[in-house]
Structure formats: structure tokens, C-alpha cells
Amino acid sequence: MSQHVTDWLAAYHDGELHGARLFQVETHLLECPTCQSELEALKALSTALQKNPVMPARTPPARFVAQVRLRTRPPSPPTLLWRVWLFVPLSVLGIGAFLQAALMVSSLVLIALRLFGDGDALAPQFGLFPAFPILGAAQLFVLDGVLTVGLATLLWGWLAGWWAARSRQNRLAGETSG
Amino acid sequence: MPVSAASTNSNELDWIARAQQGDGQAFGELVEKHRPGVLNVVYRMCGDPQLAEEAAQEAFLRAWQNLRRYNPKFAFRNWVYRIALNLAIDRLRRRTETVAIDTLREILTVETDGPEATLERHEQAEQVRQAVLDLPPTSRAALILREYEGLTYQEIADALDIPIGTVMSRLNYARGQLRESLRRSWEAT
């Protein structure tokens, strides 16, 4: 007699076995009283469970549906605040890119002035960045660092808020594992 | 891997699409269709008809609120079961006393046998019901979906968000516990 198929009997009983495994279990069952008896026990359990009555009707179906519908409202479109909230990371990245570009241009102009001209004399002609000639490279470096850390903080803060909102929605949708 | 929504027919897909656009009537159709299944699943999880009705209504409300996030690759029925089961488990955790024994009187209203046979049947039904309720919630959920709702292992895996291997082990555990528990009960009577 082949080895017992106890581990597969429940799946066999549930109609979940196919192919070679199904053949193996069926063949074994023909010759093994122990597994036959185990299968009968599984069937008896299913029968006992089926005798367990269904839920007694309390609310008529139509009223149940009406009660649910009364509590439903059309899903509201995303609010203005939510739309603005979604644009936060894009805005932060845009502002960051702009400031980085401005700092880069400032640095280049500063270097050009130091190398090729009189910074004090040329400074007033650069209306866009009137302060840059008095900024040294170290100051620019510090400013760049502050800018990067500030933007990174904003982005991480946004991500944390987004994650919290998403987790709450998942809980509401019952998608957390049981 | 999600299964194709075998039980999601074209009517249902249409209702879902309309409900996702905010059509309450289409959602009402979905509620009507899945009400019995959801009610039974929750009832068998908690054993209390009152709590089951509340949880089933709440499950449909949450489904409505989250319809935009429903993935049509999964059967709608299994998605709602998942919400309902999570709600039932959540409520059971908050509740210490789960079973209203006196509801047994309401369960069987049509009596055709004599009083002794009826009483015996009631007792056996109550023992089975109690044994199911004594199972850990996770195993109980798998057993209910398989034995009462006839879901396949893959559908149970989708509904409970667990691997198929875990479905099999939970079912084996639940059945083993039930057999042991019922054997003890029936030996005692």
C-alpha cells in the first residue's frame, strides 16, 4: 500500500486537487481503509456544518437595501484642498529647481566677476541678483545646504502626511489583513 | 494572483461601473444581490444576528465609500466579504460576549418532528455553532468562506489576503479543532 494521503484529503474533499496528485489520492483511497475513514469524517463534518442554520431573517431585504441607500451619499469629488495638497511635491520640486538654478547662475557670475572684472563696479548692473557680489563661495555653500535640507524636510513631511492618509483609507476599505 | 471574477456577471459589472460614477440605484442592486451572502458570513463569524446586520450594513457603506478603489480583477463578492470579515473581526475584538444563546429559539421556526427530536436537533445545531464560534477568527473566516459560501481556495486567499498555503493550513486547523470539539460535545451528551 502506498503512503497515506492524509495531508491532501481536505483539498481532495474540497475539489481542489488536479492532475497527478488527484490520481495519487484517488488510487490510494481505493486500497486504504484509514484514509477512507478520514475522508468520511471530513464529509460528516461538512454535513454537520451544513445543518447549522442560516441567519434568522430580521430585516426584510427591501428594507435592508433602503437602509443602506439612505446612508450612502454620492462620492464627493476631490476637494480644492486635496487638489492643492497633491500639487505640493511638484511645487516644492519646482521651487527647489528654480532656487538651485538661481544659485548656480549666481555662482557662475560671481566667479566671472572675480576672475575678469571689478565686482564692486559691475554689481549694480545685475539687477536680478543685487546681493550676489557680497556673497562669498562659503556663504553660497551654506545657503545651498539650507535650501536642500529645507526642501527635503518639506518633501518628507508631505510623504508622511500622504502615507498617513492612505493608511486611514486602507483601514476604511477593510483592506488590512484579518 | 487574483482570479477572474467568475461570479461577476455582465450585469454586475455594469452596476459596479455605474455605482462608481455615483449611481445609488446601481449600488442598491449590488447590495440586494450580495446581502444574503454577506449577512451569513458575518453572522457565522459573530453568532449574533443583530451585530451581523449592523456589520453587514457597515460593510456595504464602506464598499460604497471605497468603490473607486475596487479592482475589477477580483470578484466583487469576495471584495465585500473581505470588508465584512474585517469588520466582523474588528467588532468581535471589541466585544467580550459574542454569542446570544437565546437567538437559537428564533433560528428554527418550522418544526415537523416531535419535541424530543426537535430538541436534539437544536442541541446539535447549537453545539456546531458554538464549536465554530470557538475557533480563532482567522481560521473561522477561512472555514466559513469554504463550507458555507463555497469559495475556492484561490478566492479565499484573495478575500483574506493570504497565500493559498495559509488557506489550506487554516482550513486543516479549523477542521481538526472542530472534529475534536464536536467529538467531546457528543461524547458528553
Side-chain angles (χ1 to χ4, degrees):
Chain A
M1 187 184 295
S2 55
Q3 201 175 1
H4 288 311
V5 291
T6 323
D7 288 347
W8 298 103
L9 279 179
Y12 174 75
H13 169 65
D14 291 332
E16 294 276 347
L17 289 188
H18 308 282
R21 182 72 68 188
L22 176 64
F23 180 74
Q24 178 199 351
V25 171
E26 280 179 337
T27 312
H28 179 81
L29 276 171
L30 289 174
E31 58 184 18
C32 177
T34 310
C35 287
Q36 283 170 11
S37 148
E38 188 70 15
L39 182 63
E40 286 308 313
L42 278 172
K43 286 179 182 172
L45 181 66
S46 274
T47 307
L49 284 168
Q50 295 309 319
K51 282 181 185 165
N52 197 4
V54 296
M55 177 174 150
R58 290 199 159 227
T59 308
R63 193 192 291 174
F64 181 95
V65 176
Q67 283 172 347
V68 172
R69 285 202 57 195
L70 267 180
R71 293 168 68 190
T72 55
R73 297 279 178 279
S76 52
T79 60
L80 181 65
L81 186 67
W82 180 245
R83 287 171 204 267
V84 170
W85 174 248
L86 288 177
F87 277 102
V88 165
L90 276 181
S91 312
V92 169
L93 285 174
I95 292 168
F98 173 77
L99 290 177
Q100 287 286 356
L103 275 176
M104 222 176 280
V105 171
S106 301
S107 305
L108 287 174
V109 174
L110 181 62
I111 292 165
L113 282 175
R114 287 274 164 83
L115 289 177
F116 306 114
D118 179 354
D120 291 341
L122 290 173
Q125 295 175 21
F126 290 86
L128 273 177
F129 306 107
F132 88 87
I134 60 168
L135 291 176
Q139 287 165 307
L140 278 176
F141 181 75
V142 170
L143 188 61
D144 189 40
V146 169
L147 185 67
T148 307
V149 170
L151 290 175
T153 307
L154 276 173
L155 269 179
W156 279 108
W158 183 90
L159 267 175
W162 173 81
W163 184 80
R166 187 182 159 82
S167 302
R168 186 172 168 277
Q169 279 186 347
N170 278 346
R171 273 200 309 277
L172 282 175
E175 288 185 3
T176 49
S177 64
Chain B
M1 184 186 73
V3 288
S4 62
S7 62
T8 308
N9 58 30
S10 59
N11 260 353
E12 184 166 308
L13 288 173
D14 179 50
W15 292 333
I16 292 168
R18 280 165 46 207
Q20 282 176 326
Q21 302 301 315
D23 184 338
Q25 193 171 350
F27 187 70
E29 303 279 3
L30 289 169
V31 174
E32 198 171 341
K33 180 175 178 187
H34 295 291
R35 183 195 65 92
V38 171
L39 269 176
N40 267 321
V41 163
V42 183
Y43 171 65
R44 293 192 193 282
M45 272 306 286
C46 62
D48 179 344
Q50 178 70 34
L51 193 147
E53 277 210 354
E54 288 168 13
Q57 288 203 2
E58 187 66 29
F60 281 117
L61 275 181
R62 291 196 181 180
W64 167 258
Q65 286 158 358
N66 291 280
L67 257 182
R68 285 206 178 96
R69 304 173 64 215
Y70 164 67
N71 181 354
K73 279 194 287 185
F74 293 87
F76 182 80
R77 176 190 64 170
N78 300 350
W79 185 62
V80 182
Y81 281 178
R82 181 175 179 171
I83 297 174
L85 281 169
N86 282 327
L87 267 170
I89 290 170
D90 202 38
R91 288 190 178 213
L92 283 174
R93 279 189 191 130
R94 280 188 258 141
R95 221 178 118 148
T96 50
E97 195 174 318
T98 57
V99 188
I101 301 295
D102 59 349
T103 55
L104 186 62
R105 291 190 189 90
E106 304 168 28
I107 291 172
L108 294 175
T109 51
V110 182
E111 309 296 358
T112 52
D113 304 330
E116 280 183 15
T118 302
L119 182 64
E120 190 181 342
R121 205 173 57 234
H122 280 187
E123 276 176 2
Q124 285 192 353
E126 177 55 23
Q127 282 164 350
V128 171
R129 198 170 73 102
Q130 191 57 55
V132 172
L133 287 170
D134 285 343
L135 292 170
T138 48
S139 308
R140 198 187 323 160
L143 183 87
I144 288 168
L145 292 178
R146 173 63 224 160
E147 290 286 352
Y148 294 114
E149 298 305 313
L151 266 61
T152 63
Y153 286 4
Q154 181 63 61
E155 287 174 322
I156 298 171
D158 290 341
L160 300 180
D161 198 20
I162 52 176
I164 284 192
T166 310
V167 172
M168 292 173 76
S169 61
R170 284 187 186 176
L171 279 174
N172 281 338
Y173 176 78
R175 282 167 168 155
Q177 289 290 106
L178 270 183
R179 281 169 63 181
E180 184 60 25
S181 168
L182 290 174
R183 189 183 56 79
R184 277 200 307 266
S185 299
W186 289 339
E187 274 176 6
T189 53

XYZ file of all heavy atoms in Angstrom, chain B residues 125-166:
324
model
N -27.282 21.502 16.639
C -27.016 22.728 15.865
C -26.280 23.741 16.734
O -25.337 24.398 16.294
C -28.321 23.317 15.350
N -26.696 23.847 17.973
C -26.063 24.805 18.869
C -24.616 24.406 19.164
O -23.718 25.244 19.236
C -26.871 24.911 20.169
C -26.266 25.819 21.219
C -25.997 27.222 20.705
O -26.636 27.632 19.721
O -25.121 27.890 21.267
N -24.389 23.078 19.300
C -23.021 22.619 19.554
C -22.115 22.936 18.373
O -20.979 23.390 18.538
C -23.014 21.112 19.838
C -23.463 20.781 21.251
C -23.831 19.311 21.405
O -23.932 18.574 20.418
N -24.060 18.884 22.640
N -22.643 22.718 17.170
C -21.847 23.019 15.969
C -21.572 24.515 15.897
O -20.439 24.958 15.662
C -22.592 22.547 14.698
C -21.889 23.047 13.454
C -22.688 21.032 14.669
N -22.624 25.287 16.138
C -22.479 26.741 16.055
C -21.452 27.239 17.087
O -20.587 28.056 16.781
C -23.841 27.397 16.308
C -23.949 28.836 15.840
C -25.400 29.278 15.909
N -25.826 29.478 17.276
C -25.940 30.672 17.862
N -25.644 31.746 17.182
N -26.335 30.791 19.091
N -21.549 26.686 18.273
C -20.630 27.099 19.333
C -19.197 26.688 19.000
O -18.242 27.440 19.232
C -21.073 26.495 20.671
C -20.350 27.072 21.877
C -20.515 28.582 21.972
O -21.636 29.080 21.996
N -19.415 29.305 21.992
N -19.062 25.464 18.450
C -17.721 24.993 18.103
C -17.101 25.883 17.029
O -15.904 26.191 17.075
C -17.799 23.546 17.600
N -17.920 26.318 16.068
C -17.401 27.224 15.026
C -16.992 28.554 15.662
O -15.928 29.108 15.365
C -18.467 27.455 13.928
C -18.024 28.541 12.956
C -18.728 26.168 13.161
N -17.832 29.032 16.571
C -17.533 30.333 17.199
C -16.304 30.276 18.092
O -15.668 31.293 18.346
C -18.744 30.807 18.013
C -19.929 31.294 17.179
C -21.150 31.507 18.054
C -19.584 32.576 16.442
N -15.983 29.079 18.566
C -14.811 28.947 19.446
C -13.491 28.930 18.661
O -12.420 29.014 19.263
C -14.911 27.649 20.271
C -15.934 27.795 21.387
O -16.286 28.950 21.708
O -16.391 26.770 21.921
N -13.578 28.793 17.348
C -12.346 28.775 16.545
C -11.709 30.167 16.549
O -12.409 31.167 16.683
C -12.664 28.393 15.099
C -13.124 26.963 14.842
C -13.632 26.841 13.399
C -11.973 25.999 15.073
N -10.393 30.233 16.368
C -9.767 31.560 16.219
C -10.357 32.260 14.990
O -10.656 31.592 13.983
C -8.288 31.229 15.993
C -8.120 29.829 16.436
C -9.425 29.146 16.283
N -10.544 33.599 15.055
C -11.226 34.303 13.970
C -10.638 34.054 12.575
O -11.377 33.906 11.613
C -11.070 35.774 14.362
C -10.922 35.746 15.836
C -10.221 34.477 16.170
N -9.322 33.946 12.482
C -8.727 33.794 11.146
C -9.077 32.431 10.536
O -9.414 32.336 9.358
C -7.201 33.960 11.215
O -6.712 33.151 12.276
C -6.811 35.403 11.450
N -9.009 31.376 11.355
C -9.366 30.042 10.854
C -10.867 29.968 10.595
O -11.315 29.336 9.638
C -8.995 28.960 11.869
O -7.669 29.093 12.250
N -11.637 30.608 11.482
C -13.096 30.594 11.327
C -13.496 31.235 10.002
O -14.359 30.730 9.283
C -13.718 31.374 12.481
C -15.172 31.097 12.694
C -15.778 32.021 13.728
N -14.894 32.324 14.838
C -15.037 33.371 15.644
N -16.027 34.206 15.471
N -14.178 33.586 16.616
N -12.839 32.349 9.674
C -13.178 33.047 8.425
C -12.934 32.140 7.221
O -13.782 32.044 6.316
C -12.356 34.331 8.309
N -11.794 31.447 7.216
C -11.481 30.555 6.082
C -12.515 29.431 6.000
O -13.004 29.094 4.910
C -10.078 29.984 6.248
N -12.862 28.867 7.154
C -13.828 27.755 7.174
C -15.202 28.208 6.673
O -15.852 27.510 5.881
C -13.951 27.213 8.602
C -14.867 26.008 8.722
C -14.093 24.723 8.467
C -15.537 25.949 10.079
N -15.639 29.377 7.129
C -16.967 29.877 6.728
C -17.015 30.109 5.218
O -17.976 29.731 4.546
C -17.282 31.183 7.492
C -17.564 30.867 8.964
C -18.470 31.916 6.869
C -17.595 32.096 9.852
N -15.953 30.727 4.695
C -15.950 31.009 3.253
C -15.952 29.711 2.446
O -16.558 29.630 1.381
C -14.738 31.865 2.883
C -14.764 33.294 3.424
C -13.490 34.038 3.042
C -15.978 34.058 2.896
N -15.296 28.670 2.973
C -15.240 27.408 2.237
C -16.537 26.602 2.411
O -17.159 26.197 1.445
C -14.023 26.602 2.732
C -13.903 25.207 2.195
C -13.708 25.182 0.711
N -14.551 24.150 0.115
C -14.910 24.105 -1.157
N -14.514 25.055 -1.980
N -15.656 23.147 -1.612
N -16.920 26.394 3.655
C -18.030 25.474 3.919
C -19.400 26.075 3.622
O -20.291 25.380 3.172
C -17.994 25.007 5.383
C -16.829 24.086 5.702
C -17.020 22.679 5.138
O -18.106 22.364 4.635
O -16.041 21.902 5.208
N -19.558 27.352 3.905
C -20.896 27.938 3.746
C -21.050 28.727 2.453
O -22.137 28.807 1.898
C -21.223 28.837 4.939
C -21.353 28.059 6.222
C -20.446 28.238 7.257
C -22.374 27.129 6.387
C -20.555 27.515 8.429
C -22.478 26.400 7.560
C -21.571 26.594 8.571
O -21.681 25.867 9.725
N -19.983 29.336 2.001
C -20.089 30.149 0.783
C -19.520 29.442 -0.436
O -19.656 29.924 -1.559
C -19.381 31.496 0.985
C -19.992 32.351 2.096
C -21.493 32.590 1.897
O -21.879 32.946 0.783
O -22.257 32.383 2.856
N -18.834 28.327 -0.204
C -18.332 27.520 -1.313
C -17.242 28.180 -2.137
O -17.068 27.868 -3.318
N -16.486 29.079 -1.526
C -15.395 29.733 -2.263
C -14.253 28.737 -2.495
O -14.018 27.840 -1.671
C -14.870 30.937 -1.474
C -15.476 32.294 -1.815
C -16.965 32.313 -1.559
C -14.793 33.418 -1.041
N -13.555 28.918 -3.611
C -12.379 28.079 -3.866
C -11.231 28.581 -2.985
O -11.308 29.673 -2.416
C -11.946 28.175 -5.332
O -11.555 29.537 -5.586
C -13.065 27.799 -6.279
N -10.171 27.782 -2.932
C -9.019 28.191 -2.113
C -8.460 29.532 -2.627
O -8.061 30.385 -1.839
C -7.922 27.127 -2.167
C -8.228 25.868 -1.368
C -9.459 25.705 -0.729
C -7.290 24.861 -1.233
C -9.744 24.557 0.006
C -7.556 23.705 -0.493
C -8.788 23.561 0.109
O -9.058 22.417 0.842
N -8.429 29.682 -3.945
C -7.883 30.924 -4.504
C -8.755 32.128 -4.121
O -8.255 33.198 -3.771
C -7.789 30.820 -6.033
C -7.212 32.059 -6.716
C -5.770 32.320 -6.305
O -4.886 31.488 -6.534
N -5.515 33.452 -5.668
N -10.064 31.910 -4.158
C -10.970 33.013 -3.793
C -10.847 33.358 -2.309
O -10.890 34.532 -1.931
C -12.422 32.629 -4.132
C -12.702 32.654 -5.621
C -14.095 32.142 -5.972
O -14.553 31.176 -5.326
O -14.714 32.684 -6.890
N -10.668 32.333 -1.497
C -10.476 32.595 -0.058
C -9.169 33.363 0.146
O -9.101 34.318 0.928
C -10.454 31.273 0.744
C -11.785 30.552 0.597
C -10.166 31.536 2.210
C -11.797 29.144 1.178
N -8.149 32.944 -0.596
C -6.852 33.627 -0.479
C -7.001 35.101 -0.853
O -6.456 35.988 -0.183
C -5.821 32.942 -1.387
N -7.763 35.373 -1.909
C -7.985 36.769 -2.321
C -8.781 37.535 -1.272
O -8.466 38.674 -0.942
C -8.747 36.817 -3.656
C -7.897 36.334 -4.813
O -6.661 36.309 -4.655
O -8.459 35.970 -5.854
N -9.830 36.879 -0.772
C -10.711 37.570 0.170
C -10.000 37.872 1.485
O -10.251 38.904 2.095
C -11.966 36.738 0.432
N -9.136 36.969 1.914
C -8.473 37.176 3.211
C -7.065 37.754 3.047
O -6.384 37.997 4.050
C -8.410 35.853 3.988
C -9.762 35.204 4.302
C -9.559 33.909 5.080
C -10.638 36.156 5.120
N -6.651 37.910 1.805
C -5.331 38.459 1.512
C -4.219 37.610 2.142
O -3.347 38.126 2.852
C -5.250 39.911 2.024
C -4.107 40.665 1.368
O -3.656 40.213 0.293
O -3.667 41.688 1.917
N -4.303 36.307 1.917
C -3.285 35.383 2.431
C -2.920 34.403 1.317
O -3.688 34.225 0.373
C -3.812 34.589 3.662
C -5.164 33.923 3.334
C -3.952 35.479 4.887
C -5.703 33.046 4.444
N -1.748 33.757 1.415
C -1.372 32.772 0.388
C -2.252 31.521 0.465
O -2.818 31.228 1.532
C 0.078 32.421 0.743
C 0.511 33.421 1.753
C -0.706 33.967 2.417
N -2.303 30.783 -0.639
C -3.127 29.567 -0.684
C -2.664 28.542 0.361
O -3.479 27.858 0.982
C -3.091 28.948 -2.095
C -3.988 29.769 -3.023
C -3.582 27.505 -2.060
C -4.278 29.119 -4.337
N -1.351 28.452 0.561
C -0.836 27.520 1.570
C -1.413 27.824 2.951
O -1.741 26.909 3.718
N -1.536 29.118 3.244
C -2.095 29.514 4.542
C -3.582 29.169 4.609
O -4.086 28.774 5.662
C -1.896 31.033 4.760
O -0.525 31.338 4.501
C -2.249 31.447 6.169
